[in-house]
Amino acid sequence: MGDRVSASAKNISQSLRVYATKERKKINERFFKTGKGQYSAHDKFLGIKNPDVRVVAKKFAMIALDDVQILLKSPYNEDRLCALIILVNKFALSSEKDQREIYDFYMVNIDYINNWNLVDLSAPRIVGEYIFKNQKEKKVLNQLCQSQSQWQRRICMISTWSFIKRNEFDLTLYFAESFLTDHEDLMHKVVGWMLREVWKRNPEVCEKFIKRHYKKIPRTTLRYAIERMPEKKRLQYLKKTFLCN
């Protein structure tokens, strides 16, 4: 850690831009759907690959939270991604007291965590881990569940991954049921993803949920949830040839 550089957000932004290319910018804009009316229409991309963002984040691991906040307020996705990689790494290495500070910082700046790659990288490792260790904070997930922002609803859903990893599924299933009628396709995907994670650890629990809510489950959610099932069983769920309880 001693040879890593402590520097300002400006230094980090400059370091990131060394890796930017026009070709990658076009790929990112297409992949993240930045067109008018699409889910990333609000976002801008410099054109940097994720491994290169991680290289810069590692180099500037000791940056202060004030500088992390400056990066988080950048209009460019890669700046915010770099800030969150630094924040995730800080959280993993911090004491309980410092983890509380990082969690609070994250929640104060939650409006800047506004694309799926930013949410998926950071929410399970900060929000999920903190709430698992401090379960009185579960009420925060209820607040996020009711947010008008699909990114905050996604933070809610994917944060339950920390519970899934400890074979605790109730919280995931509770919010999965709440989001079955969500109007955003990205929410359908993340719900299915978390159900798939439940299935990998306890197929019976996941399949019972799917059967109970089969009529309400969006097709996208179903496809994600059953992706790892044996082909015969997967087709039964797609064609509804299983026996419902």
Side-chain angles (χ1 to χ4, degrees):
M1 297 278 292
D3 60 347
R4 291 179 182 172
V5 180
S6 177
S8 69
K10 181 178 180 180
N11 296 142
I12 296 178
S13 292
Q14 290 173 344
S15 296
L16 284 169
R17 281 153 179 76
V18 170
Y19 294 97
T21 67
K22 292 181 180 179
E23 292 76 15
R24 189 68 194 186
K25 184 176 188 293
K26 291 179 181 178
I27 291 171
N28 285 355
E29 288 173 344
R30 184 167 59 250
F31 180 75
F32 283 94
K33 301 186 185 302
T34 60
K36 184 177 180 180
Q38 295 182 309
Y39 69 78
S40 285
H42 66 286
D43 216 345
K44 295 182 179 180
F45 289 85
L46 293 164
I48 308 170
K49 296 178 181 179
N50 279 5
D52 293 329
V53 177
R54 290 186 178 277
V55 167
V56 175
K58 183 177 181 180
K59 181 179 178 182
F60 294 98
M62 301 306 294
I63 188 174
L65 289 183
D66 286 346
D67 286 326
V68 172
Q69 187 173 49
I70 293 171
L71 282 175
L72 275 177
K73 291 182 178 181
S74 169
Y76 292 101
N77 184 284
E78 293 95 338
D79 282 334
R80 304 198 304 283
L81 180 63
C82 188
L84 289 167
I85 292 171
I86 292 171
L87 205 61
V88 165
N89 292 339
K90 282 180 178 291
F91 185 91
L93 297 172
S94 292
S95 65
E96 289 187 9
K97 179 182 177 182
D98 289 341
Q99 284 185 344
R100 172 75 204 209
E101 181 182 7
I102 292 169
Y103 166 77
D104 287 343
F105 174 88
Y106 187 97
M107 297 308 294
V108 166
N109 291 283
I110 199 169
D111 287 344
Y112 304 111
I113 305 164
N114 58 356
N115 213 324
W116 65 261
N117 65 324
L118 308 178
V119 172
D120 295 1
L121 164 83
S122 62
R125 295 174 177 86
I126 295 178
V127 179
E129 288 299 308
Y130 183 81
I131 290 177
F132 183 83
K133 295 174 185 176
N134 301 272
Q135 298 208 11
K136 65 180 184 298
E137 296 289 331
K138 282 182 182 178
K139 60 182 182 293
V140 170
L141 296 180
N142 284 315
Q143 295 168 3
L144 295 174
C145 174
Q146 298 170 29
S147 174
Q148 293 299 307
S149 165
Q150 71 162 316
W151 311 120
Q152 293 184 23
R153 298 198 303 276
R154 189 178 180 96
I155 288 172
C156 168
M157 189 68 231
I158 201 169
S159 291
T160 70
W161 199 358
S162 295
F163 290 78
I164 297 171
K165 290 175 181 177
R166 277 87 167 192
N167 293 316
E168 295 187 17
F169 310 124
D170 289 350
L171 200 64
T172 299
L173 300 181
Y174 173 78
F175 287 116
E177 183 175 359
S178 299
F179 291 132
L180 289 180
T181 56
D182 199 283
H183 59 281
E184 296 288 353
D185 187 60
L186 286 176
M187 286 303 301
H188 299 169
K189 291 178 179 179
V190 75
V191 171
W193 175 14
M194 290 302 101
L195 289 175
R196 185 176 70 226
E197 293 300 320
V198 172
W199 185 87
K200 285 159 63 175
R201 291 161 178 82
N202 193 319
E204 183 179 356
V205 167
C206 180
E207 291 178 39
K208 184 176 180 181
F209 178 90
I210 292 174
K211 289 176 180 179
R212 185 187 304 126
H213 300 288
Y214 192 85
K215 292 182 179 179
K216 291 195 302 182
I217 292 179
R219 197 69 171 177
T220 299
T221 298
L222 179 64
R223 287 185 175 276
Y224 271 68
I226 66 176
E227 189 176 52
R228 296 294 181 86
M229 290 183 181
E231 184 66 7
K232 182 178 179 180
K233 178 173 283 191
R234 192 181 70 82
L235 291 175
Q236 286 176 341
Y237 278 100
L238 285 176
K239 298 177 181 179
K240 199 180 178 181
T241 56
F242 59 85
L243 294 175
C244 294
N245 292 330

